[in-house]
Amino acid sequence: MPWALVAACLLLRSGYALMTFDATPADPSWALGYETTRIASHLAEGRGFAMEGALFGNDTVQPTSWIAPLYPMLVAAVFWLLGTCSEAAAWCCITIQILLAGATTLALATTPHPDRRIRLGFVFAAGLFAMTPIAIHNATTLIWSTSAEVLVLAMLARALVGTNAPRTRGRAAATGIAFGASALLNPVLIAPWLVLLLARHRRELPQLAIAAATAALVVSPWLLRNHTTFGGFVFLKSNFGHELFVGNNPVADGGYHRISEQIPLGYGLGSELLSPVANEVEFAARLGAASRAWVAANPGDFAALCASRAVRFWSAPTIAPQQLGPLAVPHRTAELLALALLLVAAIWTLSDAERRRRHGALLLLIAAWQLPFVLTHADIVRYRLPALPIAFVLQGLLVSHLLVTLAERRRARLLPIAAR
């Protein structure tokens, strides 16, 4: 079953990519994934981790920390080998993302556990992930780190529910390396990692210290680079102030809108927010200060926007209806039914003390991933995708529990008849 699901995952994505992926678009940087491909292009061509400042009103190429470094570096290696934004490089990147999806399917389908209900639940989750349209669409459309983030969240869910291997210093150091690498992939993954470590290993203080120290060691070169480049402390990404402003300002509605549209409407054409800046760090700091000031002055509006984003994170359509044609209505119906099943699974998990103990951390894992988007903006569908495997696991655990329970009851009714 696991390998059949992996084969289905790879075949569906490969076929969809062959039918839909444009490897040589007219404007490859924007079409293939702007920030990733621009940074990768400059890396491949020897100009360092840099990007055009178009996002903050400056078109010169400048050092950047706009996105975390790991995935752009991978894409840069592909560009260096096969040509910047070339057709061969684009297909190679999409193939990597398809293989990451296959690894996610395999990880879910082979989760070890002595309880067959739980094993079956993870197999169910693997099947959903392998065949869900948006998971297929995402891996084969945009060159971005999302497919790798999906794999990390799936592995964390597997570690939370699967059997717990004995902890050693070596295993703790390996955990720290994986933790640090995940942070360099996307800092949003830090909170889910903390959920795992605290839920499974909070009593193992020496091992936790080793994991934390190793993770810090892994990310320290990038932090040192940022400090040296920008003349002060900059975390793994520099753009949190920008993201906060996008979702929280006088004209924000909780979704994504370009700041070039929001600033004139909310602050006027003469706003100092539109004045030139030296670099992206100054730009993000200015926007972050303006957004925090608005939040402090309007806490009720901020709370309402956060509630709206929490709903939008799960309920926004994953694929535009015009892209689906006659399939739009059944696809949307299936999405809403899946959301209803997730709510039922969450209630089922919380309604029993034993299930809360065994599976409640999965809900915390989802919340930890979702929180930054609830605070900023949540209507870009790829933000939801890494949480989908965890949602599928919860749904799978509910369905497998019902199926196995019904099968056991049916067998119990039939056994006396067989004995007679």
Side-chain angles (χ1 to χ4, degrees), residues 260-286:
S260 57
E261 302 167 359
Q262 291 181 312
I263 293 175
L265 291 173
Y267 296 88
L269 290 172
S271 171
E272 66 175 6
L273 295 174
L274 294 170
S275 60
V277 292
N279 56 49
E280 66 183 36
V281 173
E282 179 184 328
F283 172 69
R286 177 190 295 177

Side-chain angles (χ1 to χ4, degrees), residues 71 97 138 142 144-151 382-383 385-386:
Y71 204 73
Q97 294 182 170
N138 174 79
L142 184 71
W144 208 263
S145 61
T146 309
S147 294
E149 294 159 14
V150 171
L151 175 59
R382 62 181 168 83
Y383 297 161
L385 286 169

Side-chain angles (χ1 to χ4, degrees), residues 111-113 115-123 161-162 358-359 397 400:
T111 298
H113 202 279
D115 189 333
R116 64 172 177 165
R117 287 182 175 87
I118 293 177
R119 294 198 305 273
L120 180 60
F122 271 84
V123 170
V161 178
R358 296 175 68 181
H359 310 318
L397 291 172
S400 66

Side-chain angles (χ1 to χ4, degrees), residues 10 32 43 59 88 90 100 106 113 156 172 190 207 241 277 294 304 308-309 313 320-321 335 369 382 415:
L10 298 178
L32 299 177
L43 278 170
D59 288 332
L100 287 170
L106 182 62
H113 202 279
L156 293 180
I190 291 175
Q207 286 81 4
V277 292
W294 180 85
S308 169
R309 287 187 287 254
F313 183 88
E335 284 189 329
W369 172 262
R382 62 181 168 83
L415 281 175

Side-chain angles (χ1 to χ4, degrees), residues 49 64-70 179-190 215-216 218-227 230 233-240 280:
F49 202 91
T64 187
S65 187
W66 197 260
I67 58 177
L70 197 58
F179 186 3
S182 298
L184 292 175
L185 178 67
N186 188 345
V188 178
L189 289 166
I190 291 175
V218 169
V219 302
S220 59
W222 182 248
L223 296 179
L224 180 61
R225 175 264 182 191
N226 285 347
H227 189 281
F230 298 108
F233 178 77
V234 176
F235 196 50
L236 299 172
K237 291 174 62 175
S238 65
N239 68 339
F240 180 73
E280 66 183 36

Side-chain angles (χ1 to χ4, degrees), residues 6-17 19 130-132 136 140:
V6 171
C9 171
L10 298 178
L11 289 172
L12 285 169
R13 284 157 178 76
S14 300
Y16 186 78
M19 291 188 295
M131 300 177 191
T132 295
I136 297 170
T140 56

Side-chain angles (χ1 to χ4, degrees), residues 7-198:
C9 171
L10 298 178
L11 289 172
L12 285 169
R13 284 157 178 76
S14 300
Y16 186 78
L18 289 170
M19 291 188 295
T20 63
F21 182 60
D22 184 3
T24 55
D27 189 351
S29 291
W30 284 106
L32 299 177
Y34 181 79
E35 292 98 322
T36 299
T37 54
R38 292 316 304 148
I39 293 170
S41 297
H42 294 305
L43 278 170
E45 293 161 12
R47 290 191 289 271
F49 202 91
M51 183 174 68
E52 289 79 0
L55 291 172
F56 52 93
N58 187 329
D59 288 332
T60 61
V61 175
Q62 298 186 6
T64 187
S65 187
W66 197 260
I67 58 177
L70 197 58
Y71 204 73
M73 288 178 177
L74 172 63
V75 177
V78 175
F79 284 180
W80 184 78
L81 290 170
L82 300 176
T84 297
C85 290
S86 67
E87 183 174 2
W91 276 112
C92 181
C93 290
I94 290 298
T95 300
I96 290 171
Q97 294 182 170
I98 292 173
L99 292 175
L100 287 170
T104 302
T105 302
L106 182 62
L108 291 170
T110 58
T111 298
H113 202 279
D115 189 333
R116 64 172 177 165
R117 287 182 175 87
I118 293 177
R119 294 198 305 273
L120 180 60
F122 271 84
V123 170
F124 182 84
L128 281 177
F129 175 76
M131 300 177 191
T132 295
I134 186 56
I136 297 170
H137 178 78
N138 174 79
T140 56
T141 302
L142 184 71
I143 296 174
W144 208 263
S145 61
T146 309
S147 294
E149 294 159 14
V150 171
L151 175 59
V152 173
L153 264 292
M155 293 300 293
L156 293 180
R158 170 186 164 122
L160 270 174
V161 178
T163 53
N164 191 13
R167 297 286 287 175
T168 63
R169 291 180 180 179
R171 192 178 295 276
T175 298
I177 292 172
F179 186 3
S182 298
L184 292 175
L185 178 67
N186 188 345
V188 178
L189 289 166
I190 291 175
W193 264 100
L194 292 177
V195 169
L196 170 69
L197 293 174
L198 295 176

